[in-house]
Amino acid sequence: VSDNKTLRREIKKEFNIEGEPSDRFMKLVLEAKPDQVTLVPVIPGEITSDHGFNLFHKGEKAAVIKAIEACKPIGLRISLFMDTDTEGYEIAKAIGADRIELYTGPFAHAYDKSAESGKVFFKEYESAANVAHSLGLGINAGHDLDTNNLTVFAKLPHLAEVSIGHRLVSQALIDGMDQTIKDYLKVLSIKN
């Protein structure tokens, strides 16, 4: 099968590409034609993103709009990496985002200190998810999520998907990839 989307439908997998809305990244996106593009603000030299977009900043907003305008004509779903500060959500919706991906670093770090600290912090994410949903945005989440803190975060209202990378791979080095994926799928099935 030569069509990427047809192949993904046949194997029942979704293809998400995550990165900064740079010309270099967008060239890759337009060639690969993923199901979803998650746009992330990147500061030159940083190892991983540690904040969501500030869509009140003209430069960030302009870069995101340019990327969305390139993706929408070919039917790509757009998710924007955002913090729990909901003020930018209306802008995200207005410029064409389909979803937001909540930056979960602060929650994960609080949870690492204690489950109770994480649960207190989680309330901000519940509120943000409800606001985003009320605007018609889907909810994704990602950053430092693992099988421990997902016991709480999997209960987020309206959660469509999570992006998990570093911690999954780290756990897989100990437990093996098959077992690690089973562990993540099990914890993500918790809804009550």
Side-chain angles (χ1 to χ4, degrees), residues 126-139:
E126 288 179 309
S127 177
N130 285 324
V131 169
H133 179 74
S134 74
L135 295 170
L137 291 163
I139 314 327

Side-chain angles (χ1 to χ4, degrees), residues 50-127:
D50 64 358
H51 64 284
F53 277 108
N54 174 1
L55 296 176
F56 293 99
H57 183 274
K58 286 184 181 184
E60 283 189 34
K61 182 178 175 183
V64 169
I65 289 172
K66 182 179 175 184
I68 290 173
E69 288 174 348
C71 293
K72 284 295 183 173
I74 58 173
L76 307 183
R77 183 173 66 237
I78 305 295
S79 180
L80 301 182
F81 202 60
M82 303 289 287
D83 295 315
T84 56
D85 177 2
T86 61
E87 289 188 18
Y89 294 5
E90 286 185 27
I91 297 171
K93 181 66 176 172
I95 62 175
D98 302 296
R99 295 183 180 181
I100 60 165
E101 179 173 316
L102 290 169
Y103 166 56
T104 57
F107 160 77
H109 296 292
Y111 194 93
D112 286 346
K113 290 178 184 168
S114 78
E116 287 309 309
S117 295
K119 289 175 185 176
V120 168
F121 223 90
F122 181 69
K123 293 178 190 316
E124 287 183 33
Y125 290 87
E126 288 179 309
S127 177

Side-chain angles (χ1 to χ4, degrees), residues 9 21-22 35 37 42 49 59 83 96 100 107 118 169:
R9 276 193 301 272
S22 66
D35 300 294
V37 178
V42 175
S49 297
D83 295 315
I100 60 165
F107 160 77
V169 172

Side-chain angles (χ1 to χ4, degrees), residues 3-13 35:
D3 177 350
N4 285 340
K5 286 196 176 199
T6 302
L7 177 62
R8 288 192 302 273
R9 276 193 301 272
E10 287 178 10
I11 59 173
K12 297 182 181 161
K13 301 292 181 206
D35 300 294

